[in-house]
Amino acid sequence: MRDFLPADKARRERVLAVIRERYRAHGFDEIETPVVEEHGRLHAGIGGDNEKLSYSILRRGLDADGIRAAADDLAALSDLGLRYDLTVPLARFYATNRGQLPSVFRAIQIGPVWRAERPQKGRYRQFVQCDIDIMGDETSRAEAELIVASLDTIDALGLEGGTVRVNDRRALDWMLDSFGFTEDERPGVLITIDKLDKVGASGVAAELRERGVTASAVDAFEAFLTRPQTLQHDRYGERQIRAALPEGAPDEVVAHLVSLGEAVVAARPDAGEPPLLYDPFLVRGMGYYTGTIFELAHPSVSYSLGGGGRYDGMIGRFLGQQVPAVGFSIGFERIVDLVAEREVEQAQAVVLVHDADVPVAELLAHKSALLRSGVARVRLERRAKNMKALLERAAADGYTGFASVRAGDEPGAAEVRPLS
């Protein structure tokens, strides 16, 4: 968990402003949910490994004897917890407020979440998530809208050239069934498959054998991974999807993926090469995904900048009836570091340097005149002996220019000069 100095906070707010503006441009509406949710909801078995990283809140009124008696039962010790993502709270929000929402609801959620991570570079215990979700639309239009809005957003942040890796959990489950893995073996197999880009086909096969899963299924999977393949010149399309899967892939799933790609390409006619890549081994670890899954990549970094997927079964747990839902989350903490190298355009901000004898009334008149002229921010600073240090500090705090005033100067007449 971190403190942010003024310049860092200002940069983060500029990035958030761009994200909000682009999300709203695509027809999404912002909501807000509490940072605390019921313990049972956060530990309902749908959050994957994140449930193990959640922060729980001790029940009020427990004395020492009560704590000792409940020591072996987390649910008895805690009835609330800090949210570890924004998807579980959104499902509860939708179930609670459905009567006041449109049949197809497009939501923006931007806010902090908490996970008890081991601190390291790029992993924080408190961090901001930027989510867009669509509830009530079971078609590929929903996924396409999310992908287009997310690509448009990173373009607006100066990170053009992003691509989205796409898979479908239904295709992945079908593929594992076709090889002969049992349903009980599937969770462990998926964990191993997720390492394919790190350890390769032989490494995956070796780890699966160490896990003791069905030997014939491992043999079939290894043979599939090492099969001769025809070079595919296009990255995404029906031919590429079918070539990446065993023969007999479900037509419904393939058609869904194809229509998604067609919609994204149609929405970005000037983007050059289609920004999608079909990856039959993309897993994503959240236990609530039921269909399409995706990850956002950028050529400047080796890690993903966001991702999401379809979670049609989650809202039904709270509402009692199934509602289709799909979401996309941008990794704000990773993106804000990249944007620091390609600074988002900032509004004019001026430091007004004044002599010690300038009356307060004149200072405020000068300040108001600058604000009326269109300057976004004005800060008053008394003239110092070391003006270089003062102006360097102002530049570090995000100010773009400075002006000097003396007693008796006409408000609005001060010349604004750039700080750099």
Side-chain angles (χ1 to χ4, degrees):
M1 300 181 187
R2 298 164 292 164
D3 294 322
F4 295 104
L5 294 171
D8 295 325
K9 178 63 175 174
R11 183 176 72 251
R12 290 169 70 86
E13 290 301 321
R14 288 195 296 273
V15 173
L16 286 172
V18 173
I19 293 172
R20 279 191 168 94
E21 186 275 329
R22 295 322 301 159
Y23 281 173
R24 288 184 58 81
H26 283 267
F28 292 81
D29 296 305
E30 189 164 3
I31 65 169
E32 185 172 324
T33 58
V35 303
V36 169
E37 291 285 344
E38 291 182 2
H39 181 276
R41 186 173 293 119
L42 293 172
H43 294 267
I46 54 180
D49 288 341
N50 289 332
E51 293 188 8
K52 302 174 185 176
L53 301 176
S54 65
Y55 284 100
S56 298
I57 299 174
L58 191 69
R59 286 181 182 269
R60 277 78 57 218
L62 282 179
D63 57 17
D65 290 337
I67 292 174
R68 281 191 290 268
D72 295 327
D73 183 0
L74 184 59
L77 278 174
S78 170
D79 57 348
L80 299 170
L82 294 175
R83 64 191 182 195
Y84 51 73
D85 73 1
L86 297 177
T87 306
V88 173
L90 176 64
R92 192 267 314 148
F93 169 92
Y94 184 84
T96 302
N97 300 285
R98 187 183 186 188
Q100 304 173 63
L101 301 173
S103 57
V104 176
F105 180 51
R106 295 168 176 83
I108 303 170
Q109 275 196 107
I110 297 176
V113 300
W114 292 264
R115 296 177 190 171
E117 294 273 12
R118 179 179 298 173
Q120 54 186 292
K121 181 176 174 56
R123 286 192 178 273
Y124 309 106
R125 290 177 173 175
Q126 176 180 315
F127 55 96
V128 172
Q129 285 192 334
C130 302
D131 287 15
I132 45 176
D133 294 79
I134 298 178
M135 286 141 286
D137 188 346
E138 63 184 3
T139 71
S140 60
R141 181 186 74 173
E143 283 95 328
E145 282 196 67
L146 293 172
I147 290 174
V148 170
S150 299
L151 289 171
D152 184 28
T153 298
I154 66 167
D155 285 352
L157 291 169
L159 299 175
E160 298 90 345
T163 57
V164 178
R165 297 164 61 208
V166 180
N167 196 12
D168 195 301
R169 289 298 290 262
R170 295 171 298 175
L172 191 54
D173 290 342
W174 170 84
M175 180 167 58
L176 297 184
D177 287 341
S178 72
F179 292 137
F181 294 107
T182 67
E183 187 170 348
D184 292 341
E185 293 171 342
R186 191 179 298 163
V189 172
L190 289 174
I191 291 173
T192 300
I193 290 176
D194 203 25
K195 303 175 184 177
L196 183 61
D197 59 341
K198 298 181 180 67
V199 302
S202 59
V204 166
E207 183 171 322
L208 288 174
R209 291 191 173 94
E210 289 176 6
R211 285 184 176 274
V213 297
T214 304
S216 59
V218 177
D219 292 339
F221 187 36
E222 185 176 24
F224 177 76
L225 291 176
T226 56
R227 73 196 187 283
Q229 298 183 63
T230 303
L231 181 65
Q232 300 292 333
H233 296 288
D234 297 325
R235 299 190 303 179
Y236 197 96
E238 181 173 2
R239 184 164 59 88
Q240 289 73 34
I241 293 169
R242 292 196 180 278
L245 294 168
E247 290 188 13
D251 292 337
E252 177 186 0
V253 176
V254 174
H256 179 85
L257 291 168
V258 170
S259 63
L260 164 61
E262 292 172 347
V264 171
V265 169
R268 296 171 62 85
D270 302 323
E273 189 174 16
L276 300 183
L277 172 67
Y278 180 64
D279 182 352
F281 303 113
L282 177 64
V283 174
R284 293 196 61 80
M286 300 305 285
Y288 47 64
Y289 290 132
T290 59
T292 321
I293 50 177
F294 24 75
E295 282 192 353
L296 175 63
H298 193 268
S300 64
V301 292
S302 60
Y303 48 80
S304 70
L305 296 181
R310 183 167 283 279
Y311 52 96
D312 287 347
M314 185 187 294
I315 295 175
R317 293 190 178 213
F318 308 134
L319 189 62
Q321 64 184 89
Q322 295 304 315
V323 175
V326 60
F328 201 121
S329 179
I330 282 182
F332 175 75
E333 306 298 345
R334 290 178 169 181
I335 282 179
V336 78
D337 289 339
L338 290 179
V339 172
E341 305 300 326
R342 307 167 174 82
E343 184 61 85
V344 177
E345 183 179 354
Q346 53 185 300
Q348 188 181 20
V350 173
V351 171
L352 195 59
V353 180
H354 62 88
D355 291 341
D357 62 348
V358 181
V360 172
E362 289 186 21
L363 289 177
L364 294 183
H366 283 293
K367 183 176 183 180
S368 295
L370 283 171
L371 292 172
R372 286 195 302 272
S373 73
V375 174
R377 299 173 65 209
V378 180
R379 185 165 82 189
L380 298 172
E381 289 281 3
R382 180 178 293 185
R383 193 179 308 277
K385 290 183 178 179
N386 188 347
M387 282 297 297
K388 180 180 179 182
L390 186 153
L391 296 180
E392 286 178 349
R393 177 70 263 172
D397 288 344
Y399 286 82
T400 60
F402 74 101
S404 296
V405 296
R406 301 183 185 278
D409 286 352
E410 184 70 22
E415 179 189 359
V416 176
R417 289 178 285 178
L419 276 172
S420 58

